[in-house]
Amino acid sequence: MSILHPDENKGNYYRELWTKYVGRGQQTYTPSQIVVDKAQGVYLWTIDGRKLTDFTSGVLVSNLGYAHPKFETKFKEYYKQLPRNTYNMITPVQVEASKRLIESFGYSKAQKILWAASGSEGIQKAMWSALHRYPKRHIIVATRHGFHGKKGLAADVTGDTSPNPNVRWISFPMGEGYEQDFYEKELNQLWDTHKEKIALLITEPYLGAKGSYHPPKWYHQLLQHWCNEHDIPFIFDEVQSCFGRTGNMYAFQTYGVEPDLVVLGKGMASGEPASAVVGREDLIESLDYGEASDTFSGGSSACCAVCATMDVFEEDKIVEHVKKTQGKLQDILMKLKQEFPFIIDVRGEGFVYGVDCITAEIANKCVLEAYYGTGKEGIHFLGPLAKKVIRVSPPLIINEEELDHAYQLLVSAWKRI
Ligand SMILES: Cc1ncc(COP(=O)(O)O)c(C=O)c1O
């Protein structure tokens, strides 16, 4: 059964055809199922002519908004005359993107890069690097309730159970208020049990997909310290957080750590499929010729998009803009929490928040009513995370007036709930 909306004849036409031809597993469930005709800046226009402020950035991908004029021009300039597939070729732009990404880290362990075409593939390549570097170690440590992807090893370390018998879980702070020694004890027990058999530790800066749980800074510093002490590679999954989301270019800066391997994705290429692992040479070079190769990874279009994105970040001072504007986003979300008792918590940092609702039903209604908005205008959200948490992750270029306007739209829409 297709999702249909009143007074959306064109949209409903495409929704019905989509349901007819495309497997529903292709997308996660979002009650609005927006049909987009065009996109510009922080706005999406539906095929029926309604204007929506985007509060998703796709899925934290379009950090520069849509059809960003400078990005589009630079992307085309970089791409001029290059082959679309660069398998076993090198183009100058691939070298430039690799060098710029490594240098953007600003710490000595950022030495080499491996490219991939999706976040989960990047995670897989990072984990392979550690496992190949230490072939006699087989235990994989992951923080509980993370999301690293749906495929392969990335899926093995997602959630809190694993089909992989080598995975061991440790706790991630989710507002329980435990002190540092609680986590220290778990880590020490793990070391006492497995010692030199531990191949790696993988974590996320914050639990995004689980509903926005952002830990205290000392948590990641503790994990890093334990890894350093026992010579265990510390892998930081920045697929979602990279390129400005937390108010710094990278979340490792926000949390004050220098991981051995960092996995980047999503926003790094403004919509072109790109991800990458950046980190220690001895880990990355443990993979021999071809062991991390595939058809599309690190191709010319991805690298052009990375360079164009980095140009815009530098020239337009995107991170500074986030630092300046993040307080406004937090204010409007806190005001919404005060206004609507069905919001039980607001968690986040920078430009990524979760609005935790009292039930899944209410959270879905919030998404739908925001979509309907005032009729002509509305707000675009994805379906709730962890059943009842609405993620707020607007493009990083949004300004204070646009945020105020979005707030007014949400107040009028959510009064109907
Ligand atoms: C933190 C994190 N890691 C990994 C992934 C997987 O990325 P992809 O969907 O590109 O495979 C995601 C995607 O949402 C993510 O948020």
Side-chain angles (χ1 to χ4, degrees):
M1 259 277 284
S2 180
I3 291 171
L4 298 173
H5 297 302
D7 305 322
E8 293 199 357
N9 291 342
K10 289 185 188 163
N12 289 340
Y13 170 77
Y14 286 107
R15 288 183 185 100
E16 283 191 314
L17 286 180
W18 178 266
T19 307
K20 180 173 172 193
Y21 292 119
V22 184
R24 66 190 168 145
Q26 178 71 45
Q27 298 191 329
T28 56
Y29 174 73
T30 293
S32 45
Q33 201 173 40
I34 185 170
V35 181
V36 176
D37 185 37
K38 61 176 182 173
Q40 175 78 55
V42 299
Y43 299 108
L44 303 166
W45 280 265
T46 72
I47 194 94
D48 291 287
R50 304 185 50 237
K51 182 181 176 187
L52 299 171
T53 306
D54 176 46
F55 261 33
T56 68
S57 305
V59 57
L60 303 107
V61 170
S62 301
N63 287 358
L64 299 178
Y66 300 93
H68 190 289
K70 199 181 273 182
F71 170 83
E72 296 298 334
T73 307
K74 283 179 177 281
F75 178 63
K76 279 190 203 116
E77 278 169 16
Y78 280 113
Y79 207 9
K80 237 187 221 163
Q81 295 186 321
L82 289 181
R84 282 191 181 273
N85 191 287
T86 43
Y87 192 76
N88 280 8
M89 300 177 211
I90 303 169
T91 56
V93 73
Q94 291 172 289
V95 177
E96 182 179 340
S98 305
K99 180 171 180 286
R100 281 178 78 174
L101 277 176
I102 290 170
E103 288 176 357
S104 72
F105 274 44
Y107 67 88
S108 61
K109 280 191 270 183
Q111 294 158 347
K112 280 230 157 159
I113 190 166
L114 274 178
W115 291 91
S118 71
S120 43
E121 290 170 34
I123 295 292
Q124 176 113 346
K125 289 181 186 182
M127 293 175 71
W128 281 342
S129 299
L131 290 164
H132 281 239
R133 169 73 178 82
Y134 300 111
K136 294 204 174 118
R137 306 181 182 187
H138 63 281
I139 296 292
I140 293 166
V141 180
T143 50
R144 209 172 276 120
H145 300 305
F147 182 78
H148 301 287
K150 293 178 185 162
K151 297 160 218 129
L153 280 175
D156 287 358
V157 291
T158 283
D160 61 349
T161 55
S162 178
N164 183 333
N166 295 324
V167 173
R168 300 291 177 277
W169 303 100
I170 53 170
S171 302
F172 192 101
M174 294 175 71
E176 305 86 346
Y178 297 140
E179 301 289 335
Q180 213 162 311
D181 59 347
F182 173 87
Y183 302 96
E184 227 168 322
K185 219 157 119 192
E186 272 191 11
L187 289 166
N188 291 339
Q189 274 171 3
L190 207 60
W191 177 254
D192 289 344
T193 313
H194 300 289
K195 292 208 161 54
E196 284 85 7
K197 296 288 171 219
I198 301 175
L200 62 95
L201 185 155
I202 182 163
T203 190
E204 273 179 283
Y206 56 85
L207 301 182
K210 187 66 187 170
S212 271
Y213 290 93
H214 299 248
K217 284 196 171 84
W218 54 253
Y219 177 72
H220 288 307
Q221 292 168 8
L222 176 74
L223 298 186
Q224 173 168 270
H225 179 76
W226 181 79
C227 285
N228 286 349
E229 194 175 42
H230 300 299
D231 185 29
I232 296 165
F234 179 45
I235 304 179
F236 215 47
D237 176 352
E238 289 223 33
V239 169
Q240 174 173 137
S241 58
C242 70
F243 277 60
R245 213 21 89 177
T246 64
N248 283 298
M249 189 65 172
Y250 301 109
F252 65 72
Q253 297 161 328
T254 305
Y255 285 91
V257 287
E258 295 186 350
D260 298 296
L261 294 173
V262 177
V263 187
L264 313 173
K266 293 190 187 280
M268 71 186 291
S270 301
E272 285 297 303
S275 72
V277 186
V278 176
R280 266 169 48 192
E281 179 166 14
D282 67 309
L283 298 171
I284 285 181
E285 285 297 356
S286 69
L287 295 169
D288 204 352
Y289 272 114
E291 284 181 333
S293 84
D294 42 52
T295 306
F296 293 117
S297 291
S300 50
S301 59
C303 291
C304 292
V306 168
C307 287
T309 304
M310 291 185 91
D311 286 347
V312 179
F313 264 76
E314 283 161 24
E315 289 172 26
D316 291 5
K317 301 194 174 6
I318 300 294
V319 171
E320 284 83 342
H321 174 75
V322 174
K323 282 190 201 295
K324 226 172 61 204
T325 320
Q326 60 192 0
K328 180 76 181 180
L329 178 61
Q330 188 179 41
D331 283 353
I332 69 164
L333 296 176
M334 290 306 171
K335 277 201 284 179
L336 288 168
K337 178 169 176 260
Q338 271 171 4
E339 223 142 321
F340 298 107
F342 57 75
I343 299 176
I344 53 174
D345 201 8
V346 169
R347 297 181 291 270
E349 63 189 306
F351 259 39
V352 57
Y353 278 84
V355 173
D356 197 347
C357 296
I358 202 155
T359 61
E361 193 192 344
I362 297 270
N364 274 292
K365 267 196 190 150
C366 285
V367 172
L368 197 55
E369 290 300 341
Y371 173 74
Y372 290 146
T374 57
K376 274 191 166 147
E377 280 191 79
I379 306 286
H380 172 57
F381 289 110
L382 294 179
L385 299 167
K387 296 198 169 76
K388 64 186 189 66
V389 182
I390 304 166
R391 178 158 55 203
V392 177
S393 52
L396 305 183
I397 58 162
I398 200 164
N399 64 35
E400 297 208 354
E401 294 85 74
E402 288 163 336
L403 283 170
D404 269 329
H405 185 59
Y407 167 73
Q408 300 298 344
L409 283 172
L410 285 175
V411 170
S412 69
W414 287 355
K415 274 192 178 142
R416 297 194 292 265
I417 292 173

Coordinates of all heavy atoms in Angstrom, one line a residue, residues 42 48 56 60 68 105 121 142 152 187 217 337 381 389 398 414:
V42 N 18.6 25.7 1.5 CA 18.1 24.8 2.6 C 16.6 24.3 2.3 O 15.9 23.8 3.2 CB 18.1 25.4 4.0 CG1 19.6 25.8 4.3 CG2 17.3 26.7 4.1
D48 N 4.3 19.0 -6.1 CA 3.0 19.7 -6.1 C 3.2 21.2 -5.7 O 2.2 21.9 -5.4 CB 2.0 19.0 -5.1 CG 1.6 17.7 -5.6 OD1 0.8 17.6 -6.6 OD2 2.1 16.6 -5.1
T56 N 17.2 17.6 7.4 CA 17.8 16.3 7.3 C 19.2 16.4 6.7 O 20.0 15.5 7.0 CB 17.0 15.3 6.5 OG1 17.0 15.7 5.1 CG2 15.5 15.3 7.0
L60 N 22.4 13.6 6.6 CA 23.7 14.3 7.0 C 24.7 14.3 5.9 O 25.9 14.1 6.2 CB 24.2 13.7 8.3 CG 23.2 13.7 9.5 CD1 22.7 12.3 9.7 CD2 23.9 14.3 10.7
H68 N 24.4 24.2 -4.2 CA 25.3 25.3 -3.7 C 26.1 25.9 -4.9 O 26.9 25.1 -5.5 CB 26.2 24.8 -2.7 CG 27.0 25.9 -2.0 ND1 28.0 26.6 -2.6 CD2 26.9 26.3 -0.7 CE1 28.4 27.5 -1.7 NE2 27.8 27.3 -0.6
F105 N 43.7 16.8 9.0 CA 43.6 16.2 10.3 C 44.5 16.9 11.3 O 44.1 17.0 12.5 CB 43.9 14.7 10.3 CG 42.8 13.8 9.9 CD1 41.9 14.1 8.9 CD2 42.5 12.6 10.6 CE1 40.8 13.3 8.6 CE2 41.5 11.8 10.3 CZ 40.6 12.2 9.3
E121 N 31.5 0.4 3.8 CA 32.7 -0.1 3.2 C 33.9 0.5 3.8 O 35.0 -0.2 4.0 CB 32.7 0.2 1.7 CG 31.7 -0.6 0.9 CD 31.5 -0.1 -0.5 OE1 32.5 0.3 -1.1 OE2 30.4 -0.2 -1.0
A142 N 33.7 -3.4 20.4 CA 32.8 -2.4 19.9 C 32.0 -1.8 21.0 O 31.7 -2.5 22.0 CB 31.9 -2.9 18.8
G152 N 28.5 -6.6 6.1 CA 29.8 -7.1 6.4 C 30.2 -6.9 7.9 O 29.3 -6.9 8.8
L187 N 36.7 -2.0 30.7 CA 37.8 -2.1 29.8 C 38.9 -3.0 30.4 O 39.5 -3.9 29.8 CB 38.4 -0.8 29.5 CG 37.6 0.2 28.6 CD1 38.0 1.6 28.7 CD2 37.6 -0.3 27.2
K217 N 33.2 14.2 27.2 CA 34.5 14.1 26.4 C 35.4 13.1 27.0 O 36.2 12.4 26.3 CB 35.2 15.5 26.5 CG 34.6 16.5 25.6 CD 35.6 17.7 25.4 CE 35.1 18.6 24.3 NZ 34.1 19.6 24.7
K337 N 10.6 22.2 23.3 CA 10.5 21.2 24.4 C 9.6 21.8 25.5 O 8.7 21.2 26.0 CB 11.9 20.8 24.9 CG 11.8 19.9 26.1 CD 13.2 19.3 26.4 CE 13.1 18.5 27.7 NZ 13.5 19.1 28.9
F381 N 11.5 16.2 7.7 CA 12.3 15.3 8.6 C 12.3 13.9 8.0 O 11.4 13.6 7.2 CB 11.6 15.2 10.0 CG 11.6 16.4 10.8 CD1 10.4 17.2 11.1 CD2 12.8 16.9 11.4 CE1 10.4 18.3 11.9 CE2 12.8 18.0 12.3 CZ 11.6 18.7 12.5
V389 N 12.5 9.1 18.2 CA 13.4 10.3 18.2 C 13.5 10.9 16.8 O 13.9 10.3 15.9 CB 14.8 9.9 18.7 CG1 15.7 11.1 18.8 CG2 14.8 9.1 20.1
I398 N 22.4 26.9 7.0 CA 21.2 27.5 7.4 C 21.5 28.8 8.3 O 22.5 28.7 9.1 CB 20.3 26.5 8.1 CG1 18.8 27.0 8.1 CG2 20.7 26.2 9.5 CD1 17.8 26.0 8.5
W414 N 2.8 21.6 15.1 CA 2.7 20.6 16.2 C 1.6 21.0 17.2 O 1.2 20.2 18.0 CB 4.1 20.6 16.9 CG 5.1 19.8 16.1 CD1 4.8 19.2 14.9 CD2 6.5 19.6 16.3 NE1 6.0 18.6 14.4 CE2 7.0 18.8 15.3 CE3 7.4 20.0 17.4 CZ2 8.4 18.4 15.2 CZ3 8.7 19.6 17.3 CH2 9.2 18.8 16.2

